[in-house]
Amino acid sequence: MHYPVVEMDRPDLDTAVDIRAGAHSDYGSLTLLFQRASQPGLEILTPNSSWSPVSVHPPGTEHDSFPPILVNIGDLMQFWTNGLLNSTVHRVVFPEGESKDRYSIAYFCHPLDHIEIEAVPSDMIRDRKTENMQQRAEKVTAEGYLKKRLADTYGWGKQQSPARD
């Protein structure tokens, strides 16, 4: 992914927080993120609803020759585990006063379209009491799950209200 440089002195930019990628969670099961050590900007939404930066080099890895791989839980993993593992809401912002190009590589892991999605067969998962989609009786495929997430996010497939004159 390439987030190009932006002139920070533009009058149309909000100087408080400039967003490169808005708040979202990933739809798949896992995301592997590879990013340069010198390019901060990734933030996660904490349980107390505040934004916290994610360190590219967590403590103890500052001198590693390769940057660590960030592993992110996605919505499908949350679905599979009936909410035991929660997907992470995150965003990418311009670090204070910086306007450099940002590059990263994300690998989004998602099952084949025809695979039926159901909770992991575990007592720990089965005993969880949530209002998760997993509580529904009907079967859903990976493709159906993805289409539902896209519809929820973008309104795809929802009936449009008639135009008014």
Side-chain angles (χ1 to χ4, degrees):
M1 293 180 283
H2 175 225
Y3 301 96
V5 66
V6 172
E7 298 302 321
M8 298 302 283
D9 57 355
R10 287 183 18 208
D12 60 328
L13 290 179
D14 176 3
T15 57
V17 177
D18 293 315
I19 306 294
R20 285 182 157 174
H24 66 282
S25 58
D26 296 337
Y27 296 156
S29 58
L30 292 174
T31 302
L32 304 180
L33 182 68
F34 304 82
Q35 58 184 7
R36 292 180 174 169
S38 62
Q39 297 187 313
L42 180 64
E43 296 182 339
I44 60 169
L45 188 61
T46 66
N48 66 359
S49 298
S50 64
W51 290 103
S52 179
V54 176
S55 175
V56 176
H57 277 288
T61 66
E62 299 88 358
H63 302 294
D64 289 354
S65 57
F66 296 101
I69 302 169
L70 181 101
V71 179
N72 186 37
I73 300 291
D75 298 340
L76 186 54
M77 185 67 72
Q78 181 172 321
F79 185 90
W80 271 333
T81 64
N82 207 16
L84 181 65
L85 301 176
N86 291 305
S87 62
T88 307
V89 175
H90 54 282
R91 67 182 185 180
V92 179
V93 299
F94 287 102
E96 290 183 39
E98 289 189 27
S99 63
K100 300 175 186 174
D101 284 325
R102 176 185 165 85
Y103 292 93
S104 60
I105 298 172
Y107 173 78
F108 301 103
C109 186
H110 196 272
L112 297 173
D113 286 347
H114 70 278
I115 301 297
E116 284 188 356
I117 305 302
E118 55 190 346
V120 174
S122 158
D123 290 341
M124 187 182 302
I125 303 301
R126 198 172 14 261
D127 294 343
R128 290 189 55 78
K129 306 291 186 222
T130 67
E131 294 182 19
N132 191 313
M133 289 174 54
Q134 191 64 47
Q135 299 295 324
R136 299 183 314 179
E138 70 261 20
K139 299 279 184 178
V140 63
T141 63
E143 179 182 28
Y145 181 82
L146 179 59
K147 285 181 177 178
K148 181 179 181 345
R149 290 294 293 120
L150 290 168
D152 290 347
T153 302
Y154 301 108
W156 294 355
K158 294 184 179 178
Q159 186 175 3
Q160 300 292 322
S161 57
R164 294 186 173 177
D165 292 321

